[in-house]
Amino acid sequence: MTVIWQTTRFRIDLSRPRVMGIVNITPDSFSDGGRHATTQAAVAYCEQLLKEGADMLDLGGESSRPGAEPLPLEEEQARVLPVLREALKLGVPVSVDTYKPETMRAALELGADIVNDIYALRWPGAVEAVAAHPGCGVCLMHMQGEPMSMQQRPIYGDVLDEVGRFLRDRAALLEQAGVQRERITLDPGIGFGKTVEHNVALLARQRELLGLGYPLLIGWSRKSSLGVLTGRPVEQRQAASLAAALAAAVRGAKVLRVHDVAATVDALKVGEAAGLWP
């Protein structure tokens, strides 16, 4: 059965894993902060990721790395909206990574395809901003705490159970607000208020989340847990990121949010040829 992710302009076929290229329009991202901080540089990077094989783009103007401080609304929009206007001309789905309902509305008015929210639409007005749109896609992510403090002392009983219940409840709330199920994807939030052990458990038992009935969007790319597991600094985590992405795809992930697009696309081609997923 073909799985579809309905977005503003596209019905994305998720019968095979899709690659979402990360475009950080920030000076302080944990991985590539400052490299694409101008509109011109960010748009050029969008074009590069598409040449490398990205199926869609995810634009973010505010760093969500552990310890990151909130960004004023006006500054976030000044970073993201000019890039969005140009990225929408490139012929692929474009996601905006934001938790601010004002930015969601502004992006959707410009034609953004997807809202990707690390707070799972918990900010006042966020559910309403998405529900008021007739067709945008949305990704709901689990995060324990908030970026400033989320990694200080994350505690769970059963991490799969708690993450799953949270995502189920947020998706149900959104459907009750009138958002069709096929517009919704879920992200367990690797590295967001979780220890290395929590993240590894989410990967090892990821198939359990498929029972929620929504496509999974997974982001392991260059995360600090991979650094702990391998002893590698962030700029040397490509191999570990590819291994995690492939493992996530084998366990049912439909969208992989990555920095290293070309390498991930190659790894998925090999996985598909080997019959690692239907």
Side-chain angles (χ1 to χ4, degrees), residues 10-271:
F10 299 88
R11 290 177 59 80
I12 304 172
D13 180 355
L14 300 180
S15 57
R16 64 172 175 83
R18 298 291 177 173
V19 175
M20 173 181 274
I22 299 170
V23 182
N24 288 318
I25 317 165
T26 62
D28 58 347
S29 172
F30 83 97
S31 176
D32 54 1
R35 296 184 190 177
H36 323 301
T38 68
T39 297
Q40 184 178 9
V43 173
Y45 189 60
C46 289
E47 294 170 343
Q48 175 186 326
L49 294 183
L50 296 185
K51 290 178 182 177
E52 293 178 3
D55 297 295
M56 62 194 85
L57 301 168
D58 189 44
L59 313 182
E62 177 172 348
S63 175
S64 56
R65 76 188 194 287
E69 296 186 2
L71 185 72
L73 172 66
E74 296 76 13
E75 190 168 349
E76 180 191 41
Q77 293 192 4
R79 293 176 182 179
V80 172
L81 298 183
V83 179
L84 175 62
R85 288 188 184 94
E86 298 305 314
L88 288 169
K89 302 174 185 177
L90 299 177
V92 299
V94 182
S95 166
V96 174
D97 183 352
T98 184
Y99 58 85
K100 297 182 177 73
E102 299 90 347
T103 300
M104 293 177 191
R105 287 193 295 269
L108 291 172
E109 286 173 5
L110 288 177
D113 296 288
I114 298 160
V115 169
N116 181 16
D117 184 3
I118 63 172
Y119 281 90
L121 304 182
R122 283 180 286 160
W123 274 52
V127 167
E128 292 78 5
V130 170
H133 194 276
C136 71
V138 60
C139 180
L140 304 173
M141 196 194 80
H142 175 275
M143 174 173 57
Q144 187 179 96
E146 44 83 32
M148 273 288 289
S149 60
M150 64 186 179
Q151 290 303 107
Q152 291 178 4
R153 196 168 173 262
I155 299 174
Y156 297 85
D158 182 321
V159 65
L160 262 290
D161 179 66
E162 293 183 36
V163 169
R165 282 191 287 109
F166 171 85
L167 293 174
R168 179 198 63 204
D169 291 348
R170 295 307 297 172
L173 179 67
L174 200 53
E175 287 196 56
Q176 290 167 11
V179 176
Q180 299 92 337
R181 175 175 285 250
E182 67 177 3
R183 293 169 57 185
I184 302 171
T185 62
L186 304 179
D187 180 352
I190 301 301
F192 284 82
K194 299 171 184 74
T195 64
V196 176
E197 292 74 19
H198 295 144
N199 293 322
V200 170
L202 285 167
L203 179 58
R205 297 170 55 193
Q206 183 184 290
R207 286 192 182 93
E208 296 177 33
L209 296 175
L210 300 178
L212 297 172
Y214 302 87
L216 296 181
L217 186 154
I218 304 294
W220 268 95
S221 186
R222 303 183 186 175
K223 291 291 175 69
S224 61
S225 287
L226 298 176
V228 174
L229 292 172
T230 64
R232 301 286 187 183
V234 65
E235 67 274 9
Q236 296 178 18
R237 294 177 192 163
Q238 185 185 85
S241 297
L242 295 177
L246 201 57
V250 168
R251 288 167 169 79
K254 296 298 186 182
V255 182
L256 302 172
R257 184 177 181 274
V258 306
H259 299 87
D260 301 298
V261 167
T264 304
V265 169
D266 287 352
L268 290 176
K269 287 178 180 176
V270 175

